[in-house]
Amino acid sequence: MRSLDPFEENGRPESAEEESIGLGQLIRVEEATPSSLFVLPLRQAVPFPGILMPVQLSSDRARAIVAKAADQGGFLGLFARRSGTGGGGEQELGGMADERLDEDEDDIEAPAPKELHRIGVVAKVLKQINLPDGRKAVMLQGLKRVRMIRAVRRRPFLILRVEDVPDIPPAGDRAEAQVRNLQTLVRGIVENSPQVGEEFLTAAMNFDYPGQMADFCAAYLIRNLGQRQAILEALDVGERLDLVVEALTRELTLLELGARIRDEIKQKVEKAQKEFFLREQIKIIRRELGEEVDSKEAEIRQLKERIEAAGLPDPVREKAEEELERMRVTPVESPEHTVLGNHLDWILALPWSVCSEDRRDLRGAKRVLEDDHFGLREVKERILEFLAVHKLKKGYGGSILCLSGPPGVGKTSLGRSIARAMGRKFWRFSLGGMRDEAEIKGHRRTYVGAMPGRILQGLRQCGTNNPVIMLDEVDKLGADFRGDPSSALLEVLDPEQNHAFLDHYLDLPFDLSKVFFIATANVLSMIPAPLRDRMEIIEIPGYLISEKVEIAARHLLAKQRAAHGLSAKDLHLGRPVLKAIVREYTREAGVRRLEQNISKICRKRALRVARGGRGKTRAIQVKDLPRYLGQPRFAGRTRRVIKRPGICQGLAWTPVGGELLYIEVGSWPGKGRILVTGSLGEVMKESVRIATDYLKGHADLFGLDLKRIQDEDLHVHFPAGAVPKDGPSAGITVASALLSLWLGRRCPKDLAMTGELTLVGEVLPIGGVREKVLAARHEGLRRILLPAANRADIREIDPELVAGMSFLFVEHFEEVARHLGFLA
């Protein structure tokens, strides 16, 4: 059984009497009704008082119930079944919906009272109607709300005893506000819904009783059966109005959204139709004028002209013409057409024969290098050598350099200076964290969105086939399931292969031999050996304090003043101030932290100038630095004074330069166990074991009490325990600290050492000599003990760095003991 919408299109009543009822001209019913009613259970509808309900009787049981009720006064109880008002029980309101009693099966028992909602409506049977298809319908008029009390009889039809449940009238002005809000919502729904006409708005605006208006709107505008039943059960008229307003607000929002969607679709369709008609008109006009040109043919013609003007090598030209022919026969609508077009565009965009002219003025190139960077003589000499060879022999191929050094020494900026000195384009990309080899060699065209690798992208951006390409952070390449980028770089950096570099996307050999590749790295050991073997390594060491001061005075200060909008009149930092910044606020191999401190001073100075402080004292003194940079981080000497046996000074290498490394040893009665602390790697732990075993094996030579040593536990500690440490170069330092403890004699306070110790006492060479010597000099140490095999490394160090220092070269640990004064 379903209700008939009196406002549904083509479904309006014809007589004036029916129309007045359909428009909701309802009154508050005062007619007395019986206390016991035949019940017509509703599955797909919820009744309301005062509402006209045309319902179709689709089963014999339903027709029998209506007939019984008509014979006994015409009153009928309408109760919604609980299963019919749950989630998903929505229907098109007002349409014809069959009210079936248990799926049209007449022999099924009537539903139990617990299966019905307790609140329902008393309805009056107005008229029974015979439909043209032979079915029957009945016109019901809802009268008032009733509550189920108990069942009087269940068979053959359900009869319930009910009681009236009057409305609780609203109080105050809230009801009037709710009614006005409801009227506004109804007006919005009428404007946005084509199914609801102006007659409905007229009816809704003419209710005197708020509760009746709420019932009317709920009956015709709310779709969800659960919400309709909740409104029916709301006896408080104010609460009922709130529920109706809430439901209609959501309904209006959905209607407005639907209207916007319809408008957008309509606009798109109209725009597409308009464009289509305009294009067709243009085609007709051009055809009439004899100027019609197909867009595909125009594109093919343009690509053909580019192929002829590109100066491509013969194999590349043949491939391009083949791709163009395939593109000609491929429909524009096919995805393959776009793929072919992109591939041809990349072929024609690459600088196959475009080569920039190198600077051949060696003096001018040297001047550029000197202006941009202070020091770095070896690097500058290598660049000038390359330019000299290129000047004497035309056609000389490219070169692959690797600038290795700590962070902040100017590796990246040096690459730009090299390009400027050579008169070439410069392009840089970082390899740090790269894990996909397709970044180097490109993706195959079978993949959606495929592109060439970064090398060819850089060449296209530069527009020449001989730029300077910087491969930054080559030591930080990664590898995973997507491939190994370091292996992909082998072809790029191998002079024997890169004249025919094959990118997966391009699928044509490209000559990279004219490209000047510059790689940068912090730690050479992190570069795979095959890749490292293809590069010429140039190590850029850390700067001396005097070099840092000079770099700051010549380059960093002017750069930061310009970056902060200051002039030399606004800020001046003398060399004593710069030296104080280097010594007391930085500890690094490069000058990056130094530049950050200068930038901090410039920012504070810019704030003063912006506030009107221009013209005041522009020179900053050393005493003013705490006001700009805070208290010094590295003020005074940081070297410890050795006051007891068991402590020895060593030298260590780190990625940011050399460091002074202390080794402490303690002992107590025990069983000969050794505890090692300080975040050590396996190699350094082995050095401790080797040093201990060597001294125990030569106890007589050094005058040690072996029995006492074997009855003691040892603890070897490397301070700065949070910093990981590893390597063999601390071997002789560990042995010296142990010997100092067991002999009860202190190590010299002005001596530092480094060297690998073997089990038989030989001292082997180590690396990072320059950085270690620089660290010793910074700490005020003047005597350094080194392996004899590192003598050549000292000769290569700048004389000003080793001036005033003495170096003790040893081949065996016995010599170390003699220099310490532990052995005659």
Side-chain angles (χ1 to χ4, degrees):
M1 183 182 300
R2 58 192 175 111
S3 60
L4 296 175
D5 188 351
F7 307 119
E8 188 175 17
E9 187 176 357
N10 299 326
R12 294 180 181 175
E14 297 182 358
S15 67
E17 179 181 0
E18 289 178 345
E19 184 174 357
S20 66
I21 298 176
L23 288 176
Q25 295 179 355
L26 310 176
I27 61 173
R28 299 178 64 180
V29 179
E30 301 294 341
E31 183 179 357
T33 58
S35 59
S36 297
L37 299 171
F38 284 97
V39 174
L40 182 63
L42 305 178
R43 185 187 297 274
Q44 299 295 330
V46 175
F48 283 94
I51 302 300
L52 183 68
M53 293 183 64
V55 294
Q56 179 180 322
L57 304 177
S58 57
S59 69
D60 293 338
R61 181 184 296 275
R63 288 191 288 270
I65 291 174
V66 172
K68 286 286 186 180
D71 292 342
Q72 300 184 18
F75 295 101
L76 193 63
L78 302 180
F79 288 85
R81 300 187 62 146
R82 293 186 182 274
S83 59
T85 57
E90 297 183 6
Q91 66 167 3
E92 184 69 26
L93 296 181
M96 179 75 77
D98 294 340
E99 273 303 330
R100 295 179 174 89
L101 295 181
D102 297 330
E103 306 298 335
D104 289 339
E105 296 182 14
D106 295 336
D107 55 343
I108 301 296
E109 292 184 355
K114 64 180 180 180
E115 298 178 20
L116 303 176
H117 286 280
R118 293 185 60 81
I119 299 295
V121 170
V122 177
K124 181 74 178 242
V125 178
L126 299 181
K127 184 179 181 182
Q128 297 191 42
I129 305 170
N130 295 319
L131 300 177
D133 58 1
R135 292 181 296 175
K136 293 183 178 296
V138 64
M139 191 72 70
L140 301 178
Q141 174 72 48
L143 301 180
K144 56 185 175 181
R145 286 174 172 80
V146 292
R147 180 187 290 114
M148 177 195 313
I149 300 177
R150 61 183 176 83
V152 176
R153 191 173 66 186
R154 297 189 181 184
R155 291 185 182 84
F157 307 115
L158 179 62
I159 299 177
L160 293 178
R161 185 172 297 279
V162 298
E163 63 177 356
D164 295 347
V165 282
D167 288 350
I168 302 175
D173 297 333
R174 176 177 171 80
E176 183 178 354
Q178 289 172 311
V179 170
R180 292 183 180 180
N181 193 12
L182 187 55
Q183 291 174 343
T184 302
L185 290 172
V186 171
R187 183 178 293 107
I189 292 174
V190 170
E191 292 174 356
N192 288 276
S193 176
Q195 285 81 23
V196 183
E198 291 293 335
E199 299 90 342
F200 186 90
L201 179 61
T202 303
M205 293 297 179
N206 288 278
F207 282 106
D208 296 328
Y209 180 56
Q212 214 169 11
M213 180 180 182
D215 290 343
F216 180 74
C217 293
Y220 289 105
L221 298 180
I222 297 177
R223 298 173 176 270
N224 186 276
L225 298 180
Q227 293 179 343
R228 289 157 62 97
Q229 182 64 36
I231 294 170
L232 179 67
E233 296 179 358
L235 304 181
D236 189 317
V237 175
E239 179 185 351
R240 190 185 307 167
L241 287 169
D242 287 340
L243 291 174
V244 175
V245 167
E246 180 181 352
L248 293 190
T249 300
R250 181 176 181 274
E251 183 69 20
L252 179 59
T253 302
L254 295 176
L255 287 172
E256 291 175 345
L257 178 60
R260 287 200 299 270
I261 294 173
R262 288 194 302 271
D263 291 342
E264 291 177 3
I265 295 175
K266 181 179 178 182
Q267 292 175 3
K268 290 180 180 179
V269 172
E270 290 178 350
K271 181 179 179 182
Q273 291 177 342
K274 180 180 178 181
E275 291 178 354
F276 174 77
F277 288 129
L278 289 175
R279 288 194 185 98
E280 291 300 316
Q281 290 174 2
I282 291 174
K283 286 182 180 180
I284 294 172
I285 293 172
R286 286 181 173 176
R287 187 183 302 120
E288 293 295 328
L289 295 175
E291 300 177 355
E292 183 178 14
V293 179
D294 185 77
S295 60
K296 180 180 178 180
E297 289 299 325
E299 182 183 11
I300 297 296
R301 183 183 304 171
Q302 182 183 13
L303 288 173
K304 186 175 182 179
E305 293 173 355
R306 290 178 62 189
I307 292 175
E308 293 174 353
L312 304 176
D314 291 341
V316 179
R317 173 187 286 273
E318 294 175 2
K319 181 68 174 178
E321 291 176 348
E322 179 185 340
E323 295 281 274
L324 184 61
E325 187 60 29
R326 290 179 57 193
M327 188 175 175
R328 189 192 305 274
V329 299
T330 303
V332 178
E333 296 79 10
S334 173
E336 182 67 16
H337 183 87
T338 303
V339 172
L340 291 170
N342 291 338
H343 188 233
L344 268 175
D345 184 65
W346 269 102
I347 292 177
L348 298 175
L350 290 175
W352 298 92
S353 57
V354 180
C355 185
S356 62
E357 186 67 24
D358 280 342
R359 185 194 300 268
R360 300 185 183 275
D361 181 9
L362 298 182
R363 292 183 179 178
K366 182 178 181 180
R367 190 181 309 112
V368 170
L369 294 174
E370 292 293 343
D371 290 344
D372 290 351
H373 287 81
F374 177 79
L376 305 177
R377 289 195 296 269
E378 182 182 355
V379 181
K380 296 175 182 176
E381 190 68 22
R382 176 65 186 85
I383 302 305
L384 294 177
E385 290 172 1
F386 172 79
L387 294 177
V389 174
H390 198 68
K391 181 178 181 179
L392 297 175
K393 181 177 174 56
K394 292 186 178 180
Y396 178 68
S399 182
I400 296 100
L401 297 183
C402 180
L403 306 179
S404 172
V409 295
K411 299 185 294 297
T412 304
S413 62
L414 184 60
R416 292 191 176 89
S417 298
I418 291 173
R420 195 162 73 91
M422 297 175 66
R424 294 190 178 190
K425 297 290 185 67
F426 177 79
W427 189 74
R428 166 194 171 273
F429 76 98
S430 177
L431 298 174
M434 185 179 294
R435 297 178 179 274
D436 190 354
E437 69 175 16
E439 293 283 342
I440 305 296
K441 302 200 67 174
H443 301 81
R444 301 192 184 276
R445 281 186 288 163
T446 53
Y447 295 99
V448 176
M451 291 185 65
R454 300 290 296 278
I455 300 295
L456 292 190
Q457 291 181 35
L459 289 171
R460 178 177 181 175
Q461 183 174 337
C462 292
T464 63
N465 60 10
N466 65 336
V468 175
I469 293 182
M470 172 162 281
L471 309 175
D472 217 359
E473 309 292 355
V474 71
D475 58 327
K476 297 177 177 61
L477 279 170
D480 61 9
F481 65 93
R482 290 167 289 187
D484 185 1
S486 63
S487 299
L489 279 177
L490 295 179
E491 182 182 357
V492 176
L493 301 182
D494 191 345
E496 300 297 326
Q497 301 181 53
N498 63 9
H499 64 278
F501 171 70
L502 189 64
D503 185 273
H504 289 157
Y505 178 84
L506 193 66
D507 201 23
L508 290 169
F510 193 94
D511 185 6
L512 297 179
S513 62
K514 299 177 182 179
V515 178
F516 195 136
F517 287 103
I518 302 176
T520 69
N522 297 130
V523 184
L524 282 176
S525 60
M526 298 295 292
I527 304 176
L531 186 59
R532 188 169 63 245
D533 185 61
R534 285 164 168 77
M535 300 184 290
E536 182 179 347
I537 307 297
I538 297 180
E539 295 190 9
I540 303 180
Y543 296 112
L544 301 174
I545 292 179
S546 59
E547 291 176 329
K548 293 181 181 179
V549 172
E550 198 65 29
I551 291 172
R554 292 189 184 188
H555 303 286
L556 302 183
L557 180 57
K559 175 183 175 182
Q560 291 301 319
R561 276 197 304 230
H564 292 81
L566 300 174
S567 65
K569 296 181 179 180
D570 298 320
L571 176 64
H572 174 72
L573 298 177
R575 280 176 169 76
V577 176
L578 295 174
K579 186 175 182 179
I581 296 175
V582 172
R583 295 181 63 89
E584 299 180 4
Y585 291 90
T586 66
R587 177 156 297 182
E588 57 181 346
V591 293
R592 185 167 294 154
R593 185 63 182 170
L594 172 60
E595 185 174 9
Q596 292 173 357
N597 281 291
I598 295 176
S599 174
K600 187 175 182 180
I601 293 175
C602 289
R603 288 196 302 271
K604 293 185 179 295
R605 186 64 184 172
L607 178 61
R608 170 181 278 186
V609 171
R611 288 175 173 174
R614 193 183 295 273
K616 297 184 179 179
T617 304
R618 59 184 177 86
I620 294 178
Q621 306 298 326
V622 175
K623 63 181 180 179
D624 300 326
L625 289 179
R627 182 156 50 91
Y628 288 89
L629 301 177
Q631 294 302 314
R633 298 180 58 195
F634 308 102
R637 296 166 62 94
T638 60
R639 182 161 61 88
R640 297 167 54 185
V641 178
I642 299 177
K643 298 182 179 180
R644 59 179 297 276
I647 302 176
C648 190
Q649 297 172 139
L651 294 171
W653 177 92
T654 70
V656 295
E659 289 287 343
L660 189 62
L661 177 66
Y662 287 91
I663 297 177
E664 303 172 348
V665 183
S667 65
W668 58 89
K671 298 180 180 180
R673 292 171 296 189
I674 301 176
L675 177 64
V676 183
T677 56
S679 298
L680 307 184
E682 291 299 322
V683 176
M684 189 166 281
K685 291 179 181 178
E686 291 175 359
S687 297
V688 175
R689 186 80 255 180
I690 290 171
T692 306
D693 292 345
Y694 167 74
L695 292 177
K696 288 181 180 181
H698 298 79
D700 294 339
L701 175 63
F702 299 107
L704 301 177
D705 185 352
L706 184 58
K707 187 177 184 310
R708 181 177 65 84
I709 293 174
Q710 292 176 340
D711 292 337
E712 289 181 343
D713 287 346
L714 286 176
H715 186 170
V716 182
H717 178 61
F718 294 73
V723 180
K725 311 172 190 68
D726 203 5
S729 62
I732 63 173
T733 313
V734 175
S736 299
L738 289 169
L739 190 58
S740 169
L741 176 70
W742 286 334
L743 293 178
R745 301 172 64 178
R746 290 183 295 176
C747 292
K749 61 183 179 180
D750 63 337
L751 176 67
M753 63 184 70
T754 178
E756 180 179 354
L757 179 66
T758 69
L759 194 58
V760 295
E762 295 181 358
V763 181
L764 302 182
I766 44 82
V769 174
R770 188 184 189 279
E771 287 77 11
K772 294 177 180 180
V773 171
L774 181 62
R777 184 180 184 88
H778 180 75
E779 296 294 343
L781 296 171
R782 291 295 178 263
R783 290 198 301 157
I784 300 179
L785 197 151
L786 294 170
N790 289 112
R791 193 186 302 269
D793 295 318
I794 298 299
R795 296 193 188 102
E796 295 179 357
I797 300 178
D798 299 336
E800 61 178 305
L801 178 59
V802 297
M805 302 183 70
S806 62
F807 297 93
L808 309 175
F809 298 100
V810 297
E811 295 181 350
H812 199 276
F813 186 75
E814 294 181 22
E815 301 175 55
V816 178
R818 289 191 180 94
H819 287 302
L820 293 174
F822 297 163
L823 190 63

